[in-house]
């Protein structure tokens, strides 16, 4: 028994057919609904028992084309502005297919795939102005990268004993702004330090961490006998895209001997856009950076990344000795860079290849142009909102996220209704957020396919849906 095809020429045709199906889908994205709710009977079809016997590949491919493809979450569509999600690319898709064919395991050993990941790491060091020996690797996403950075900071604070003896009663305290992504509190929880040991510092009018309050909080914790160990800056907050004053945070972290980590999931890749890069000043001084190639980098999901200044500290947080992982002088078990030493995963897929395809095919400048373009579109949207009496801008626009709302009675419920109407109509899809206790429509422009006409369509759709919903509510 082996699982290779009996008829390679037939499977070649099938493969070409599936490729054509997907390319056609991408070519015609704009003409398709952004999203539609999967019908109940379709979902029912996915409750079948474990298939004991196989089916022809053609049948499985047809099932994909009919039941999965039309009911995607829509983030590839040019009108998608809900949540911070990238659009994916053709080159990235092809890289992912080739990676699956190769079936490489990037836990370690001596093969060329690791050179690809190392090359992307090298480019990453260059982009962020990190030293030539800084370490880093692909992970699922910034949530995982933030968690790993926190474990590295924990090692720095408590020493190697923490890995065997645990955290005990160590009173470690971390700091971030109130606008920090929820995964950082989650990381404190998972690291055994406790989510409430993350101090959430208020933000200023631009959504940036307040340095005066931060300084006072650190002093108060030290006075109470607690041990500040980690300062997390955010480059692009998830709600409004604010960037903390990273230079000031780097100064403070140095003065207080804290590990300075930046959650740059959304914004760090802004270094590729000359118009955005100056806002990220200080990022080059971080001890570690978490970011996502799958957001502004447009690489297909998933492609998170962690970059760490001190390779010894990074390795010290994760490496372990296991006989079957021992390194040889030569042969397949040789190789001096084993990613399993730098994170919790042993077996790892070849995420680097789709990212490498994306960067090589389009070039870093084009990715930077896309980033700048999403910020231009956000500014344009903000201007149109400001010019429209029925709409109200809810937060300053630093990057690519615009929060606004339709003005009217019971505005929270009204705007929630508008957003649901828009998502179901399938032309443009913003999402909802809460700002200072008020519901806002949030348009996060991340996708390289989004154009001015999508912004115009968003404004027109919100106005139309707002009028209809107001009338419906008044009736
Ligand atoms: C998206 C995001 C995360 C989480 O990243 P994932 O890749 O979804 O795990 C963390 N922080 C910020 C600021 C984000 O925008």
């Amino acid at each position: 028994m082996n699982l290779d095809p009996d008829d390679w020429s037939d499977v070649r045709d099938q493969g070409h057919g599936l490729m054509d199906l997907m390319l056609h889908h991408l070519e015609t994205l704009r003409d398709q609904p952004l999203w539609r709710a999967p019908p109940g009977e379709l979902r029912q079809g996915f409750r079948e028992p474990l298939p004991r016997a196989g089916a022809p590949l053609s049948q499985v491919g047809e099932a994909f084309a009919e039941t999965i493809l039309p009911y995607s979450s829509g983030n590839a569509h040019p009108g998608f502005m809900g949540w911070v999600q990238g659009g994916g690319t053709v080159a990235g898709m092809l890289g992912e297919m080739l990676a699956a064919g190769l079936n490489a395991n990037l836990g370690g050993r001596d093969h060329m795939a690791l050179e690809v990941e190392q090359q992307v790491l090298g480019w990453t060091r260059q982009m962020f102005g990190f030293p030539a020996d800084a370490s880093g690797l692909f992970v699922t996403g910034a949530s995982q990268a933030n968690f790993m950075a926190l474990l590295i900071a924990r090692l720095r604070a408590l020493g190697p004993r923490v890995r065997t003896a645990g955290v005990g009663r160590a009173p470690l305290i971390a700091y971030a702004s109130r606008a920090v992504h929820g995964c950082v509190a989650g990381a404190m929880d998972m690291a055994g330090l406790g989510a409430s040991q993350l101090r959430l510092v208020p933000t200023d009018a631009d959504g940036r961490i307040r340095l005066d309050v931060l300084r006072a909080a650190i002093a108060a914790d030290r006075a109470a006998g607690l041990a500040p160990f980690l300062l997390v800056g955010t480059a692009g907050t998830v709600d409004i895209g604010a960037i903390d004053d990273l230079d000031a945070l780097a100064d403070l972290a140095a003065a207080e001997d804290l590990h300075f980590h930046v959650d740059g999931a959304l914004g760090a890749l802004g270094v590729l856009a000359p118009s955005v890069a100056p806002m990220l000043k200080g990022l080059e001084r971080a001890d570690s950076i978490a970011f996502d190639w799958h957001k502004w980098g447009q690489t297909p999901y998933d492609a998170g990344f962690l970059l760490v200044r001190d390779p010894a500290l990074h390795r010290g947080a994760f490496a372990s000795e296991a006989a079957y992982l021992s390194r040889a002088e030569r042969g397949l078990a040789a190789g001096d860079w084993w990613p399993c030493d730098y994170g919790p995963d042993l077996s790892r897929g070849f995420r680097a290849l789709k990212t490498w395809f994306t960067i090589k095919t389009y070039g870093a400048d084009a990715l930077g142009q896309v980033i700048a373009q999403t910020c231009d579109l956000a500014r344009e949207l903000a201007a149109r909102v400001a010019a429209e009496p029925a709409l109200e801008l809810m937060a300053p626009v630093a990057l690519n996220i615009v929060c606004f709302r339709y003005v009217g009675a019971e505005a929270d419920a009204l705007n929630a209704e508008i957003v649901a109407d828009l998502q179901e109509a399938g032309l443009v899809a913003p999402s909802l957020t809460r700002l200072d206790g008020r519901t806002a429509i949030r348009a996060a422009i991340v996708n390289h396919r989004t154009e001015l006409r999508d912004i115009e369509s968003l404004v027109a759709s919100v106005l139309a849906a707002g009028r209809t919903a107001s009338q419906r509510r008044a009736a």
Side-chain angles (χ1 to χ4, degrees):
M1 180 73 190
N2 84 39
L3 302 175
D4 276 333
D6 295 327
D7 181 348
W8 282 93
S9 113
D10 174 56
V11 89
R12 189 168 281 125
D13 289 344
Q14 310 263 358
H16 292 162
L18 288 171
M19 177 76 75
D20 283 342
L21 171 76
M22 210 58 222
L23 290 173
H24 176 76
H25 172 76
L26 293 175
E27 188 183 3
T28 59
L29 265 178
R30 190 175 273 289
D31 309 325
Q32 303 165 33
L34 185 151
W35 178 81
R36 34 192 156 170
E41 67 271 20
L42 261 192
R43 292 186 201 268
Q44 216 41 52
F46 282 75
R47 311 279 191 270
E48 66 169 0
L50 175 70
R52 285 282 163 192
L57 176 61
S58 58
Q59 259 179 40
V60 181
E62 270 165 36
F64 170 79
E66 285 162 18
T67 63
I68 301 173
L69 186 62
Y71 301 99
S72 69
S73 79
N75 55 313
H77 192 282
F80 187 92
M81 303 167 196
W83 308 280
V84 176
Q85 296 189 17
T89 64
V90 169
M93 171 186 105
L94 295 175
E96 182 75 321
M97 185 192 75
L98 299 176
L102 201 57
N103 192 29
N105 182 340
L106 278 80
R109 287 160 284 271
D110 192 12
H111 50 127
M112 207 56 196
L114 290 170
E115 291 296 332
V116 176
E117 185 158 355
Q118 286 262 34
Q119 172 151 62
V120 179
L121 167 59
W123 292 336
T124 303
R125 291 185 192 113
Q126 184 188 336
M127 281 161 38
F128 293 117
F130 263 49
D133 67 341
S135 59
L137 75 172
F138 278 94
V139 294
T140 43
S143 304
Q144 177 79 340
N146 284 327
F147 175 46
M148 288 161 61
L150 195 140
L151 295 178
I152 292 166
R154 191 185 71 166
L155 183 84
R156 171 171 160 176
L158 298 181
R161 235 181 75 82
V162 68
R163 294 193 56 194
T164 46
V167 295
R169 290 170 174 278
L172 296 187
I173 306 290
Y175 304 83
S177 95
R178 255 183 211 159
V180 72
H181 193 275
C183 69
V184 175
M188 288 290 285
D189 164 10
M190 292 190 292
L193 299 174
S196 65
Q197 305 298 82
L198 171 67
R199 302 282 187 250
L200 295 175
V201 177
T203 51
D204 64 17
D206 290 325
R208 296 147 53 108
I209 190 167
R210 277 191 46 191
L211 296 163
D212 54 337
V213 183
L214 171 60
R215 277 193 204 94
I218 295 172
D221 284 329
R222 287 210 195 281
L226 301 174
F229 82 112
L230 168 66
L231 177 55
V232 179
T234 299
T237 57
V238 69
D239 53 356
I240 67 166
I243 301 173
D244 286 335
D245 183 343
L246 302 176
D247 234 356
L249 292 185
D251 286 339
L252 185 59
E256 296 280 350
D257 192 25
L258 307 176
H259 182 97
F260 177 37
H261 172 70
V262 176
D263 177 4
L266 158 63
L269 283 175
V271 294
L272 294 176
S275 55
V276 176
M279 293 189 248
L280 295 163
K281 192 167 173 305
L283 184 58
E284 73 286 353
R285 299 170 63 195
D287 291 309
S288 49
I289 305 175
F291 70 99
D292 281 324
W293 289 103
H294 57 222
K295 289 178 175 169
W296 253 352
Q298 311 296 331
T299 299
Y301 282 85
D302 48 33
F305 205 91
L306 175 66
L307 181 65
V308 180
R309 181 174 302 276
D310 180 346
L313 196 64
H314 186 179
R315 195 174 186 287
F318 297 103
S320 65
E321 314 297 331
Y324 62 93
L325 295 178
S326 68
R327 316 297 148 87
E329 286 293 317
R330 56 197 188 89
L332 191 46
D336 50 13
W337 186 62
W338 286 46
C340 64
D341 291 336
Y342 294 90
D345 300 315
L346 177 53
S347 294
R348 303 170 66 246
F350 197 179
R351 294 185 182 100
L353 191 63
K354 60 190 169 188
T355 312
W356 187 83
F357 259 72
T358 303
I359 300 170
K360 293 272 284 184
T361 303
Y362 305 109
D365 289 348
L367 296 178
Q369 266 172 35
V370 164
I371 287 167
Q373 164 183 306
T374 61
C375 295
D376 291 345
L377 289 171
R379 264 192 302 277
E380 184 59 35
L381 173 57
R384 290 178 187 229
V385 166
E388 198 55 69
L391 303 178
E392 175 192 3
L393 199 61
M394 304 274 288
V397 176
L399 288 181
N400 59 334
I401 300 179
V402 182
C403 293
F404 65 104
R405 70 173 177 178
Y406 189 86
V407 181
E410 294 175 66
D412 286 359
L414 176 63
N415 281 278
E417 217 170 306
I418 293 171
V419 164
D421 284 350
L422 259 52
Q423 290 174 358
E424 284 174 0
L427 199 60
V428 284
S431 60
L432 282 179
T433 192
R434 301 274 298 169
L435 294 174
D436 298 326
R438 305 196 307 162
T439 295
I441 300 175
R442 172 166 164 280
I445 302 151
V446 186
N447 190 331
H448 60 98
R449 301 185 177 100
T450 304
E451 297 174 11
L452 185 58
R453 55 178 151 162
D454 301 300
I455 300 301
E456 286 165 348
S457 154
L458 173 68
V459 173
S461 304
V462 168
L463 288 172
R467 273 191 298 271
T468 315
S470 302
Q471 282 160 10
R472 193 162 58 213
R473 299 171 71 80

